[in-house]
Amino acid sequence: MDRRVLFATLILLAGGATGVGVALFAFVGVDDATTEATVVWESEPAAGDDGSGAVVATVDGDPLLLRPAVENGSRVVTATVAGTDETPWTVPVTGPDAERGGGDGDGTGGGDGDAGGNDSDGAGGDPLAVSGLTAGTLGGDPVVALTTASGELVVLDAADGTERFAVDLGGPAGLRPAIGDLTGDGSREVAAVTTDGGVRVLDGEGDPVAEASLSGEISRRPLVVEPDPEADVRGGLAVLTTAGDPATVHMLDASGGTRWTTEPSVNPLSWNAADSRDGPVLALGGASGTIETVEASDGSDRYEVKLQDRPIAVGDADPGRVYVGGSGSVWAVDLLDGEVVWKQQYGASTRVNEPRMADVDGNGERAPVVLNRAGGVLAMTQSGEVIARGDAGDVVAYGGPLFADVTGDGGDEVIVVADDGTAIAVDT
């Protein structure tokens, strides 16, 4: 398909204290000939989350959409086979003082914990507050993990909702946990934090691996930087606290000890870990529109780039660049030197959620896809050219796009989860 691409040169001038150098990049315009995406599936709503807490996990080849929800006044996690109305399991999530029950695989949950009234103290009242979900594997099994506001890490088997383990974190939580191989031994761990500075790392069976207590409060999810012995890359767990001005990044080793700390220049509203041609970095998206990258090896600052004057959301990265969403714009930023490779404008001034990567056309190449707050979807190539655009209807979307092949064509459809928990699959 022919596409018209508009190129313009934009110069970003250095900003005194930010130390941002001059950057040149191509502005890529949306072509009128771009394919219009179409809605191919819509689920029932799943109230109890603003839509940002959902994830997709693959179980026996089937993509499961997992959502934190509230049913009959109780907190649950529910699994739906993407593209269908099949719900293989729904399980309750209870407070640390309440008795638990596992799912029975028939979509109704099970056990004593399935009764109404599961709340923040296990005694009746409002539904338990929980973090967004994290999908991954532990011991080779697909799992989903979350933390509760009352201070518990819960890990469920994604296949049937059975509780794998639940651990009291020793403090208030409600932040999304992380799953990754911190030790480099080929086995993944799960890391969780408490808002008062506590850090816990557990193995695939729920046994403790490391813990730490940091100064300041924690309001962002932890990040796992996996080691690569062949490339002489040390791994670690990155934790962001409010100590410092405006914050402090702590890099912990596999035993919970502090390898380094640094105070970033930006006030980070989002962050992610990324690999680059010169080692892994932490990319932080600031409230004032600046992206800052920090070396994962020693905490030194690699670069800062001013993208706009409004908050930005750092998303997925490939080995060469990181993708960033802002108000009406998407950027591809080179991880090595901070050069803005391209900028794509979409949706006027509507805020773009964190970009994510997927293979939407089935050609084997993962490329960026974005979703804005108004449900607008834009799928691009790695060079920033648009391959499809569309929307999920009259919805509000607070999370980034999810992906699943619901049509069986070999390419991923974009899953938009609205603020009422309704999932909409958009075929690009």
Side-chain angles (χ1 to χ4, degrees), residues 129-132 146-152 169 171-177 193-195:
V130 299
S131 71
L146 59 88
T147 70
T148 69
S150 53
E152 195 167 27
L169 297 174
L175 298 173
R176 197 186 298 258
V193 296
T194 60
T195 57

Side-chain angles (χ1 to χ4, degrees), residues 296-378:
S297 59
D298 59 11
S300 60
D301 198 64
R302 182 175 287 190
Y303 62 75
E304 297 172 46
V305 174
K306 182 79 169 180
L307 299 178
Q308 62 178 203
D309 293 325
R310 298 180 180 181
I312 54 175
V314 174
D316 283 349
D318 58 33
R321 60 190 64 168
V322 62
Y323 300 99
V324 183
S327 295
S329 298
V330 186
W331 297 265
V333 181
D334 192 288
L335 284 167
L336 188 61
D337 56 14
E339 177 186 358
V340 179
V341 182
W342 52 258
K343 175 185 178 180
Q344 177 65 260
Q345 290 183 316
Y346 181 62
S349 61
T350 303
R351 185 170 176 177
V352 175
N353 302 329
E354 65 272 18
R356 291 175 178 161
M357 299 185 69
D359 178 13
V360 297
D361 54 9
N363 66 357
E365 179 182 277
R366 296 173 70 246
V369 179
V370 295
L371 168 66
N372 67 23
R373 293 290 173 92
V377 175
L378 198 68

